[in-house]
Amino acid sequence: MMIINPPSKRIHLSVPEFDGKESRYIHEAFQSGQIATSGSFIEKFEDQLEREFGGENIVALNSGTSAIHLGLQLLDVGRGDEVICQSLTFAASANPIVYLGAQPIFVDSESDTWNICPQLLEEVILDRISKGKLPKAIVTVNLFGMPAKMKEIMEVAHRYGIPVLEDAAESVGSRIHHRYCGTFGDIGVFSFNGNKVITTGGGGALVTSNDTWTKRARHLATQAKENHPHYEHSSIGYNYKMNNLAAGIGLAQLGCLKERIAQRRRIFSYYQNALENIAGISFLKELPGYFSNRWLTTVLINPSEAGFDRETLRLSLESRNIESKPIWKPMHLQPVFRQSTYYGGEIAAGFFANGLCLPSSSNLTVQELDRVTECLMLLHQGVFK
Ligand SMILES: *Cc1c(COP(=O)(O)O)cnc(C)c1O
């Protein structure tokens, strides 16, 4: 019997991979009765993260977004303040600015890292100062795992005394030389959401070398409960702590971080080797000394050279049951931020128009990768059906 059009298994953009310890730790947590926001896995996970990322203090939280919200609060961002933010990013980088009653000032990307441009950043700071207001903080992002030019950015920020929150949600394990992303900013943020390089189901962490901020973050994340037998509060707190089950998953995942990154980097290389000679297709390259975790492999399509555009590629992949996603739509083009100030040109907008994230899960097989690359090659040859 002939099978006509066997439905091929869906290839997702980015799914987690487990090594088996996750369920063992969850079982242990249940047996000890510690499934809520106190328990031994939370401390172990934080300790292990601190060892892994060079000894900064780490506070495990229930999401990366919570970590950004708390982080901006520690930087004293409040009503009426201006906060400079990379425009090309996920909305979670910018939303907490608005939670605090402050205004985002969006800035364009540069072509070599896709992240905020240090020169443009300085021009923006000078222009805001000339308009009478020193920005209260800067939110930088290491997009798709690629480090921003953090050294140059920190130099500019220090020159004007503005603190930096480094959104390293996508760049856990990325580094510049030997220094890890998340440790460059005055405050760093990790995400352990289900689609990231390692996961806790849902979770995040705040990174800082400032002990006072670390204590304050722990306090605010646990409803700002004071040390009294009764419930005593002197400030407004949040319910942002990570629970012990999530921390157990995280501890298991962290043990595999290096391997997961190696797998994601191999996927990037596979795509690059297979596709880089096709006219009009280009990849995001590492600068010397830069090491990306390659969370997601992205391609840029130059439609006039390639003979097809980003959306044609996305739909062709979808017709073969392959998930892909356009690059983040820049914040300055989002309806919700249409009133916000923007500095820059069309670089971020161009990445959005022509960029696509390809399936990048660490457990993709060569057969699955070939399903993706074949689709691109057929489009290129103009024989795609
Ligand atoms: C995922 C992500 C976040 C938010 O992290 P959550 O853990 O999902 O809240 C923030 N910023 C960027 C750039 C992200 O990709």
Side-chain angles (χ1 to χ4, degrees):
M1 198 182 80
M2 222 173 71
I3 301 170
I4 298 160
N5 286 335
S8 50
K9 196 174 132 237
R10 183 153 178 85
I11 301 177
H12 293 279
L13 191 70
S14 179
V15 296
E17 183 173 351
F18 304 111
D19 88 323
K21 286 209 188 74
E22 289 87 354
S23 46
R24 217 176 75 209
Y25 289 167
I26 285 186
H27 188 68
E28 268 179 49
F30 267 104
Q31 286 195 315
S32 70
Q34 297 178 324
I35 62 163
T37 52
S38 65
S40 59
F41 285 125
I42 298 170
E43 218 168 285
K44 280 186 197 149
F45 184 45
E46 287 178 343
D47 287 350
Q48 198 56 40
L49 282 166
E50 286 173 3
R51 267 199 290 278
E52 196 83 30
F53 296 111
E56 307 252 322
N57 301 330
I58 297 208
V59 183
L61 298 168
N62 63 2
S63 77
T65 311
S66 320
I68 296 171
H69 188 193
L70 273 189
L72 290 175
Q73 190 149 329
L74 295 174
L75 299 180
D76 202 28
V77 170
R79 202 154 293 285
D81 288 332
E82 290 184 349
V83 176
I84 294 176
C85 181
Q86 177 166 323
S87 184
L88 187 65
T89 186
F90 179 48
S93 307
N95 285 341
I97 299 170
V98 181
Y99 300 167
L100 292 165
Q103 274 144 25
I105 305 283
F106 292 116
V107 177
D108 205 358
S109 288
E110 54 182 1
S111 328
D112 47 0
T113 67
W114 294 24
N115 294 309
I116 198 167
C117 168
Q119 281 82 35
L120 181 56
L121 173 64
E122 181 155 26
E123 290 170 30
V124 173
I125 293 170
L126 288 171
D127 193 61
R128 295 324 290 173
I129 292 173
S130 79
K131 291 187 163 61
K133 211 163 199 173
L134 182 71
K136 197 66 185 263
I138 299 164
V139 177
T140 66
V141 189
N142 309 305
L143 223 50
F144 304 114
M146 184 61 71
K149 289 185 187 144
M150 286 312 298
K151 214 176 124 245
E152 293 83 348
I153 289 168
M154 294 310 292
E155 274 168 21
V156 170
H158 284 157
R159 204 170 301 147
Y160 301 93
I162 308 171
V164 172
L165 184 139
E166 183 188 5
D167 179 351
E170 301 177 359
S171 58
V172 175
S174 297
R175 49 189 159 80
I176 301 175
H177 297 291
H178 293 292
R179 187 157 172 194
Y180 282 102
C181 287
T183 70
F184 288 93
D186 298 278
I187 288 177
V189 165
F190 293 148
S191 167
F192 307 115
N193 192 18
N195 61 353
K196 300 280 159 65
V197 173
I198 55 168
T199 185
T200 58
L206 187 137
V207 185
T208 179
S209 55
N210 181 319
D211 293 332
T212 312
W213 285 347
T214 308
K215 275 205 203 86
R216 182 104 188 117
R218 290 191 190 288
H219 178 66
L220 290 174
T222 48
Q223 309 281 24
K225 279 188 291 233
E226 311 268 330
N227 193 11
H228 284 282
H230 64 274
Y231 287 94
E232 178 86 4
H233 305 273
S234 309
S235 39
I236 298 295
Y238 304 94
N239 184 5
Y240 277 176
K241 210 176 165 193
M242 180 176 281
N243 74 61
N244 200 45
L245 291 176
I249 298 172
L251 188 65
Q253 290 270 304
L254 190 54
C256 303
L257 176 62
K258 294 233 154 57
E259 193 185 326
R260 297 290 172 262
I261 291 175
Q263 289 166 301
R264 296 226 180 210
R265 287 176 62 86
R266 276 201 294 275
I267 287 162
F268 172 85
S269 299
Y270 195 91
Y271 283 133
Q272 191 181 34
N273 291 336
L275 303 170
E276 137 176 282
N277 293 326
I278 298 182
I281 292 187
S282 58
F283 289 85
L284 176 55
K285 301 254 165 53
E286 288 167 326
L287 300 177
Y290 282 46
F291 178 92
S292 168
N293 66 13
R294 294 294 183 191
W295 170 50
L296 296 181
T297 292
T298 56
V299 281
L300 274 185
I301 313 289
N302 179 331
S304 56
E305 285 177 29
F308 59 91
D309 63 11
R310 193 277 317 273
E311 196 52 13
T312 306
L313 172 59
R314 193 186 69 78
L315 292 172
S316 308
L317 289 166
E318 189 54 52
S319 75
R320 299 184 157 209
N321 210 10
I322 300 168
E323 183 187 17
S324 65
K325 280 257 187 225
I327 304 301
W328 302 122
K329 181 175 180 178
M331 291 304 112
H332 73 278
L333 301 177
Q334 297 287 357
V336 69
F337 288 122
R338 66 184 165 267
Q339 309 283 4
S340 298
T341 305
Y342 172 67
Y343 287 87
E346 300 291 322
I347 295 179
F351 290 144
F352 170 60
N354 297 319
L356 194 70
C357 304
L358 298 179
S360 304
S361 306
S362 51
N363 56 7
L364 282 176
T365 63
V366 168
Q367 288 73 24
E368 288 171 319
L369 288 167
D370 285 341
R371 269 174 62 194
V372 178
T373 56
E374 188 197 42
C375 188
L376 268 114
M377 289 185 225
L378 290 178
L379 268 180
H380 171 64
Q381 293 156 11
V383 295
F384 188 90
K385 282 201 295 286

